[in-house]
Amino acid sequence: DDMGQEERAFQARIDEGIKIEAKDWMPDAYRKTLIRQISQHAHSEIVGQLPEGNWVTRAPTLKRKSILLAKIQDEAGHGLYLYSAAETLGVSRDDLLAALHSGKAKYSSIFNYPTLSWADMGAIGWLVDGSAIINQIPLCRCSYGPYARAMIRVCKEESFHARQGYDIMMSLCKGTPAQKAMAQDALNRWWWPSLMMFGPSDAASVNSAQSAQWRIKLFSNDELRQRMVDQTVPQIEYLGLTVPDPDLKFNAETGHYEFGEIDWSEFNNVLKGNGPCNRERLQTRVKAYEDGEWFRDALVAYADKQAANEKA
Ligand code: FAQ
């Protein structure tokens, strides 16, 4: 049949490494998957500003404050980039935001945890942006052109974010015993949620097989999670901190660290909306959107006026 042929030709292009562009024919399910993933990714960037926004007024120095502000602004930029990439697939930003605000759309589980100390700014940059990079570098080569291209700049900025986070951790670990204890406490609280960012285990990942076939996913959730552990454990040791996992051990034969079981019930609970900060994050986001309504209205009124002037 015709449809089958179109789909076969589409898959052949993907297999050859040809990028799919916005106006190209694509299967509905490919479009839907991309809208799902790119919009979740955009929501994550936007909601992801909130845990760090909590510390802008309490940054310990002017320099740390300006770096943190710049990082949070970068995240807003990433969100806008990603909403634009999603819009190329024929959805409207208003609809995507409505899905976020109603609690229907997902965003990364990691942003539903509280930021209790300044060391959390270090741990987020280092572990959360660090994990984001590991997940997103392969996305620069994914099959959908607009998403792949957006990821290039995003990854460059994420690498600045990760460096600034590690720099905060280095300062704290070279500081007083109380500062080092603060750094250890942040690591203890962010380690496992960071591993959860990579998603369910491969066995439980419902979308992976199809996304791999379409080259949206170039590596599996577990492969990328392993990469994160292998890369981060030596950094933890360099800081003189302890990995909060009694089962962690290096396997000299495989060259990889083996690590303990992830608490998947905690992960699933956060996804269901019952993490420590899910409600608070959504409320803050909805309020920010409502507070900005007058500004969006003003922009539309101005655009209408300009259009009317041009006609006259
Ligand atoms: N949280 O079948 P899979 C950042 C959902 S980085 C919540 O494996 P998939 C930067 C998943 O959506 C964070 N939900 O799904 C930053 C699916 O549900 P659905 C954002 C999760 O899509 C740093 C279900 O579980 N990065 O923001 C999570 O093949 C610091 C089954 O899972 C991205 O979004 C989770 N952790 O693989 C900003 C990267 N994991 O949709 C501010 C792009 C899974 O069927 C501060 N996304 N789920 O209802 C991806 O690479 C993929 O979507 C995965 C999940 C790998 C996240």
Side-chain angles (χ1 to χ4, degrees):
D1 60 308
D2 271 8
M3 195 60 170
Q5 246 175 32
E6 247 172 339
E7 251 184 86
R8 269 194 299 280
F10 173 83
Q11 186 63 48
R13 291 181 65 199
I14 294 208
D15 295 342
E16 277 175 59
I18 298 170
K19 290 262 179 288
I20 306 302
E21 297 298 338
K23 294 204 161 72
D24 292 347
W25 184 89
M26 60 183 81
D28 276 346
Y30 177 83
R31 188 185 297 278
K32 272 209 193 102
T33 286
L34 280 170
I35 292 170
R36 176 182 65 79
Q37 177 166 328
I38 299 173
S39 64
Q40 287 175 3
H41 194 167
H43 299 327
S44 302
E45 299 281 356
I46 298 300
V47 178
Q49 297 180 102
L50 301 177
E52 291 172 301
N54 188 33
W55 280 88
V56 170
T57 56
R58 288 171 290 164
T61 67
L62 180 61
K63 191 173 141 201
R64 291 291 186 200
K65 180 170 173 152
S66 35
I67 293 170
L68 185 62
L69 272 172
K71 178 192 191 295
I72 296 171
Q73 284 179 356
D74 284 352
E75 284 150 12
H78 299 173
L80 300 182
Y81 243 49
L82 285 159
Y83 284 127
S84 297
E87 283 178 312
T88 64
L89 293 156
V91 281
S92 81
R93 193 173 302 206
D94 286 345
D95 289 345
L96 297 179
L97 288 174
L100 173 66
H101 296 157
S102 70
K104 219 177 82 194
K106 289 193 173 78
Y107 58 85
S108 183
S109 52
I110 191 76
F111 302 116
N112 293 305
Y113 291 85
T115 44
L116 305 179
S117 79
W118 172 253
D120 289 11
M121 299 305 95
I124 288 180
W126 169 37
L127 301 173
V128 176
D129 289 81
S131 298
I133 294 170
I134 292 170
N135 165 273
Q136 286 166 32
I137 289 281
L139 290 175
C140 297
R141 292 189 287 125
C142 79
S143 60
Y144 189 54
Y147 192 28
R149 288 189 292 273
M151 281 301 110
I152 293 170
R153 173 168 175 173
V154 168
C155 284
K156 286 182 185 165
E157 293 180 349
E158 300 290 27
S159 94
F160 153 64
H161 298 168
R163 292 293 293 271
Q164 69 87 36
Y166 198 66
D167 190 64
I168 291 173
M169 297 304 277
M170 292 255 280
S171 297
L172 292 173
C173 290
K174 280 192 245 156
T176 64
Q179 286 174 314
K180 189 159 180 185
M182 197 196 278
Q184 180 68 56
D185 174 63
L187 171 59
N188 293 350
R189 285 181 293 103
W190 291 95
W191 175 252
W192 291 104
S194 297
L195 294 190
M196 294 174 194
M197 281 177 74
F198 294 90
S201 71
D202 292 351
S205 171
V206 290
N207 300 306
S208 274
Q210 183 60 76
S211 289
Q213 193 192 335
W214 282 329
R215 293 183 65 82
I216 295 168
K217 272 182 149 169
L218 301 184
F219 299 94
S220 78
N221 296 1
D222 287 334
E223 281 170 334
L224 295 175
R225 188 169 13 247
Q226 182 66 53
R227 203 173 281 185
M228 188 281 192
V229 173
D230 289 343
Q231 172 179 310
T232 312
V233 171
Q235 296 169 351
I236 295 174
E237 286 167 356
Y238 184 79
L239 290 170
L241 297 177
T242 308
V243 187
D245 177 0
D247 297 325
L248 185 97
K249 57 173 188 291
F250 187 68
N251 182 331
E253 259 168 48
T254 61
H256 295 295
Y257 285 92
E258 291 166 1
F259 51 97
E261 186 65 29
I262 289 172
D263 183 351
W264 293 115
S265 67
E266 175 182 327
F267 175 73
N268 291 323
N269 206 37
V270 174
L271 259 62
K272 276 193 217 122
N274 300 322
C277 299
N278 291 61
R279 281 170 198 81
E280 182 189 332
R281 296 289 183 245
L282 213 54
Q283 269 169 17
T284 310
R285 200 50 247 153
V286 168
K287 182 176 185 307
Y289 187 74
E290 285 170 354
D291 289 351
E293 190 175 358
W294 68 272
F295 186 73
R296 292 189 301 276
D297 288 349
L299 286 177
V300 172
Y302 181 75
D304 289 348
K305 206 168 110 185
Q306 290 292 97
N309 283 348
E310 264 163 39
K311 260 192 213 150

